[in-house]
Amino acid sequence: MVIKCKAAVAWEAGKPLSIEEVEVAPPKAHEVRIKIVATAVCHTDAYTLSGADPEGCFPVILGHEGAGIVESVGEGVTKVKKGDTVIPLYIPQCGECKFCKNPKTNLCQKIRVTQGKGVMPDGTSRFTCKGKQIYHFMGTSTFSEYTVVADISVAKIDAAAPLDKVCLLGCGISTGYGAAVNTAKVEPGSTCAVFGLGGVGLAVIMGCKIAGASRIIGIDINKDKYAKAKEFGATECISPQDSKKPIQEVLVEMTNGGVDYSFECIGNVGVMRAALEACHKGWGVSVIVGVAAAGQEISTRPFQLVTGRTWKGTAFGGWKSVDNVPKLVTEYMSKKIKVDEFVTHTLPFDKINEAFELMHSGKSIRTVLKF
């Protein structure tokens, strides 16, 4: 049965989203149709909406930080059933490809090609609006009251979890937390620097603190973000604009040679360089978490690496998604990790454009939209 429901459609790049009635087709084999209960807005949605994303297709239903209830399943689906509480996953986990079988990565490639083209694995879309096919986004499209995802792109979670909070585990919090505990493997007593104090940066700080770091330096030009960063575990915060010296020099001086771990949570290639060069000679590790615009390149002197620094990157915090998102929900439910504290605003879904404005203005960490 086709479902008619409300969705925010991006008809073209650079324009506000439009609340429309869309038709959502039933799930085909190995697909799951989900009633989205809550979704949040992330910078990645804004990046694609801006037109800068080379994989961006329009018209499209954006959104990749969501949570909901399974409405129906296609044939062959065994992992979830109608009524299950779930989080859609933009990095799937098929368990069968060489990436899934390798413990070193979480980058399942089973549906990568079609997902990048904005369609389901069979090459078609489940969304139509005003007679036009609407593209999917990141395999999730959570800016719709109902969405259809591949059965490998869904994690079944604790039914008692509040969906207007755990939706954030679909991207930002998991990404930052995992960057610290999985990718960097922060050690007790270490010194860390976190560049960019948005939602992902705060999650990195939380991960560093849980891992036992003794000094966590937050770096941002927006000083309004410092109080929140300290609440999450930053021991001090600095602004690059407060010194005539490059920020990496400031950090090397502050830390007697550099930090053990640094994290770039912005997506700025200049800051990525600064983060690497702020690392300690011999053992410093810098992790790129932020996504830079298409075509941009990173640079540093090779000597930085020859003398023992390591440059790494991470996607979704290195978590194998189907296995670990339910565990992250459990960690939240047992109060090991923070989630509620990331939510600064809650709005009705119709006010989605307001959520984008709050994000661009730096006034919000995460705005959750409820249907």
Side-chain angles (χ1 to χ4, degrees):
M1 203 177 87
V2 172
I3 290 178
K4 287 188 176 181
C5 69
K6 193 157 58 176
V9 177
W11 288 106
E12 55 184 303
K15 296 278 170 72
L17 301 181
S18 176
I19 303 292
E20 306 280 4
E21 184 181 74
V22 298
E23 293 87 42
V24 185
K28 294 189 182 178
H30 294 287
E31 295 177 2
V32 179
R33 187 161 60 181
I34 302 166
K35 179 177 175 36
I36 298 290
V37 174
T39 183
V41 175
C42 167
H43 271 100
T44 310
D45 301 304
Y47 169 61
T48 300
L49 183 59
S50 74
D53 182 354
E55 276 196 348
C57 319
F58 295 88
V60 63
I61 294 172
L62 299 169
H64 64 284
E65 266 188 358
I69 311 288
V70 174
E71 176 274 333
S72 59
V73 299
E75 65 179 272
V77 176
T78 55
K79 298 267 173 73
V80 294
K81 61 184 187 305
K82 181 177 176 167
D84 282 350
T85 304
V86 294
I87 290 177
L89 309 166
Y90 68 90
I91 295 184
Q93 187 186 350
C94 72
E96 293 162 4
C97 69
K98 69 178 178 182
F99 290 81
C100 282
K101 286 181 172 164
N102 190 324
K104 294 176 180 174
T105 186
N106 62 330
L107 299 173
C108 174
Q109 296 296 294
K110 182 82 180 274
I111 60 172
R112 179 71 198 93
V113 174
T114 49
Q115 182 171 312
K117 290 177 180 168
V119 290
M120 295 300 289
D122 74 344
T124 63
S125 167
R126 301 291 162 268
F127 297 118
T128 49
C129 181
K130 298 179 179 170
K132 285 188 181 155
Q133 172 183 289
I134 310 293
Y135 287 106
H136 294 249
F137 176 67
M138 290 177 78
T140 53
S141 290
T142 59
F143 293 168
S144 175
E145 204 174 348
Y146 287 87
T147 189
V148 179
V149 305
D151 64 353
I152 59 172
S153 305
V154 63
K156 181 182 173 180
I157 61 161
D158 182 347
L163 299 187
D164 59 342
K165 302 294 190 293
V166 297
C167 60
L168 300 188
L169 294 170
C171 179
I173 299 179
S174 303
T175 297
Y177 177 44
V181 300
N182 296 331
T183 310
K185 295 187 168 62
V186 170
E187 294 174 327
S190 56
T191 298
C192 301
V194 180
F195 292 77
L197 302 176
V200 174
L202 292 176
V204 170
I205 290 171
M206 175 177 78
C208 291
K209 185 180 178 182
I210 289 169
S214 58
R215 194 172 177 194
I216 304 168
I217 305 163
I219 301 125
D220 203 299
I221 56 174
N222 181 352
K223 294 187 177 181
D224 294 343
K225 297 194 169 178
Y226 293 178
K228 197 84 171 173
K230 287 176 179 170
E231 186 189 316
F232 275 82
T235 51
E236 60 220 280
C237 293
I238 58 173
S239 169
Q241 295 175 341
D242 285 351
S243 172
K244 290 196 172 75
K245 291 180 185 170
I247 189 68
Q248 52 267 55
E249 281 183 34
V250 174
L251 285 159
V252 166
E253 281 175 19
M254 281 173 69
T255 57
N256 187 26
V259 299
D260 302 310
Y261 303 97
S262 70
F263 301 86
E264 199 278 358
C265 307
I266 301 159
N268 177 312
V269 292
V271 179
M272 291 173 190
R273 178 174 190 158
L276 176 80
E277 295 176 0
C279 283
H280 203 289
K281 188 181 206 170
W283 63 76
V285 174
S286 187
V287 180
I288 295 174
V289 193
V291 178
Q296 297 203 324
E297 297 181 350
I298 50 171
S299 62
T300 192
R301 292 181 182 166
F303 195 66
Q304 292 284 336
L305 304 181
V306 171
T307 52
R309 294 171 194 83
T310 304
W311 219 346
K312 301 180 90 169
T314 187
F316 196 56
W319 302 107
K320 286 190 185 274
S321 58
V322 174
D323 291 344
N324 288 291
V325 168
K327 293 177 187 170
L328 290 166
V329 170
T330 303
E331 286 193 4
Y332 159 67
M333 300 291 276
S334 64
K335 297 196 162 50
K336 183 186 172 186
I337 61 172
K338 291 175 157 68
V339 173
D340 299 18
E341 293 81 354
F342 288 85
V343 182
T344 49
H345 300 75
T346 305
L347 294 172
F349 181 72
D350 295 11
K351 295 202 169 164
I352 189 163
N353 288 309
E354 208 174 297
F356 276 85
E357 286 160 25
L358 284 164
M359 181 174 66
H360 288 307
S361 70
K363 287 178 184 150
S364 68
I365 296 169
R366 278 291 188 271
T367 300
V368 172
L369 302 159
K370 289 181 172 179
F371 282 96

